[in-house]
Every structure is written in C-alpha cells, then in structure tokens.
Amino acid sequence: MSNTLSIIASFVAKPGHEERLRVELAAMIEPSLAEEGCLAYHPYVDSTRSDRMLIVEEWIDAEALEYHFSLPHFTRVAAALDEILAEPFTLRRLTDVRD
C-alpha cells in the first residue's frame, strides 16, 4: 500500500492569458521537484481547450504538500494566478484505491 498523496490541480486561464499560464506553471516544475517531499510534478495542457491546464503531482504525504504551499516559488505563482485565472484553481487530493 502507498501512503503517498496524489494531486490534480486544475486551472482555467482568462482569454488571452493562456501562454502566461503555461509559463507560470512550467516555472514551478524544477523547484517543486527539488523539494524533498515531491515525487512527481507534471503540468499538462488540455488538447481541446488551450485555456485549461492540469498539474498531476505526487507527494510523500500531506505535510510535504502543505510545506510546498509555503515556499517562495509557490507563493509567487499563486499571486500571478490571481491575475490570469478565469476562476479559482481547484485541487483534488487522491489516494490509492488499495489503501
């Protein structure tokens, strides 16, 4: 059984802000993967709606995710997202069905 925490974060950009959303989320990859508790961090663009992006993340536990939320690279991007998102982003916390 796995005790890791998987996350799907969903984002919808305001019209005209699609590229900036891609840039901001891509800037999160390297520093997030460098975090001790981050096991995976993969942004994706919806192939049918360029204004929609997802990040699929895996963390060792909920504490590692909460720590991620406190770091400068997250707080910087969170502030930028306030300007470029059409609606608040959503987080889905997933656990393995075998747990």
Side-chain angles (χ1 to χ4, degrees):
M1 283 191 225
S2 171
N3 291 324
T4 64
L5 177 64
S6 297
I7 299 291
I8 298 177
S10 302
F11 307 86
V12 179
K14 291 178 184 174
H17 288 77
E18 298 85 357
E19 182 60 25
R20 182 163 178 217
L21 178 58
R22 282 187 212 96
V23 168
E24 295 291 351
L25 296 184
M28 292 287 292
I29 298 169
E30 188 174 329
S32 297
L33 287 172
E35 293 175 45
E36 187 174 318
C38 183
L39 301 172
Y41 202 88
H42 303 285
Y44 297 93
V45 176
D46 186 319
S47 63
T48 62
R49 298 268 318 260
S50 64
D51 62 330
R52 296 183 183 270
M53 289 190 69
L54 298 172
I55 300 176
V56 179
E57 310 171 28
E58 188 172 5
W59 299 89
I60 60 169
D61 55 27
E63 290 77 23
L65 178 62
E66 290 304 317
Y67 179 68
H68 169 70
F69 292 152
S70 73
L71 295 174
H73 60 273
F74 181 87
T75 57
R76 186 198 66 76
V77 168
L81 292 177
D82 286 342
E83 300 172 11
I84 61 178
L85 292 182
E87 57 194 50
F89 70 90
T90 61
L91 289 180
R92 289 189 179 159
R93 296 174 185 235
L94 310 172
T95 54
D96 193 309
V97 297
R98 299 168 290 183
D99 287 349

